[in-house]
Amino acid sequence: MIGHLKGVLLAQDLKSVILDVSGVGYKIFTNTASLPPKHSGGNKSNKASAPTETLEFWTYLAVRENALDLYGFTTREELDFFELLISVSGIGPKSALGILSVATLPNLRHAITTGDTGHLTKVSGIGKKNAEKIVIELKDKLVGLSADMSHSMKGDVDALEALKSLGYGEREAREALKKVVDVSDTGEKVKKALKILL
């Protein structure tokens, strides 16, 4: 089992990276928006300098009949949460990665522990049936974790709606909001997200 990889970034697209580890290129499915700014900006001028940058991933190897897929995360906490999500029936690795790509861990934890499927579907973009499954199967496992995220979560949803009303797509608005940290005021979140989007 491959649990951790450290190497240099050779290439990336919206869903994966190729990481050179001692001359072997591993394709790792990951949230490329969570990578350091030099790698997630999409600026082609960074291509020349990117191979000198070292990246580390905590990894999960998904074994299927016709493929071995690696999923990578910048923190152990994200990997642990990913493994929790894929333990839910009907949630595969790609769906779990998608959920983690569009919502912060504290917001996901809060939605699950409070049984708030309405917020969960808005934040993660999954259907109501799967949101209910996630809550039912994971709620007890997450009890005891911090549950003081209700205002922050509501602010994220409100800020997302505000950005969408300004004409931004849901995906780009979510990615911008994920980069706005330590801000609880909805207005401030929107302002900082707009600076990232412009």
Side-chain angles (χ1 to χ4, degrees):
M1 179 70 92
I2 301 168
H4 182 269
L5 288 171
K6 180 177 181 179
V8 293
L9 180 70
L10 292 181
Q12 77 176 68
D13 57 29
L14 289 174
K15 296 180 180 177
S16 66
V17 298
I18 303 292
L19 195 70
D20 181 343
V21 182
S22 303
V24 178
Y26 290 89
K27 182 173 185 176
I28 304 170
F29 293 98
T30 188
N31 173 19
T32 54
S34 71
L35 297 178
K38 281 187 178 181
H39 304 297
S40 61
N43 186 341
K44 291 185 179 177
S45 66
N46 286 337
K47 269 191 174 177
S49 62
T52 63
E53 298 291 331
T54 300
L55 294 178
E56 291 184 58
F57 290 97
W58 292 96
T59 59
Y60 176 88
L61 180 64
V63 180
R64 296 184 294 150
E65 281 182 29
N66 57 353
L68 297 173
D69 293 329
L70 264 178
Y71 292 85
F73 307 91
T74 54
T75 67
R76 183 64 196 254
E77 188 183 19
E78 284 180 310
L79 172 62
D80 292 343
F81 203 88
F82 172 84
E83 290 178 337
L84 267 181
L85 286 170
I86 61 173
S87 72
V88 176
S89 59
I91 303 295
K94 286 186 180 175
S95 296
L97 183 62
I99 291 167
L100 287 169
S101 295
V102 293
T104 63
L105 290 183
N107 284 356
L108 284 170
R109 279 197 202 99
H110 178 73
I112 293 167
T113 55
T114 59
D116 196 344
T117 58
H119 274 304
L120 189 59
T121 53
K122 279 185 183 177
V123 172
S124 68
I126 60 171
K128 187 174 181 184
K129 189 175 179 183
N130 278 338
E132 288 170 352
K133 265 192 202 175
I134 291 170
V135 167
I136 290 167
E137 295 188 32
L138 298 185
K139 188 173 184 177
D140 290 341
K141 295 177 184 177
L142 296 176
V143 167
L145 293 172
S146 174
D148 61 350
M149 296 301 296
S150 58
H151 293 299
S152 171
M153 190 168 173
K154 173 127 178 45
D156 282 356
V157 173
D158 290 344
L160 176 65
E161 293 303 317
L163 291 171
K164 283 166 65 179
S165 71
L166 291 171
Y168 291 98
E170 185 161 334
R171 182 185 172 94
E172 63 181 335
R174 284 184 195 278
E175 293 300 341
L177 285 170
K178 285 184 73 178
K179 293 173 186 170
V180 177
V181 292
D182 299 327
V183 179
S184 56
D185 180 70
T186 302
E188 280 301 307
K189 279 187 183 188
V190 172
K191 283 180 191 173
K192 292 200 171 190
L194 282 171
K195 285 180 184 175
I196 293 166
L197 288 163
L198 294 174

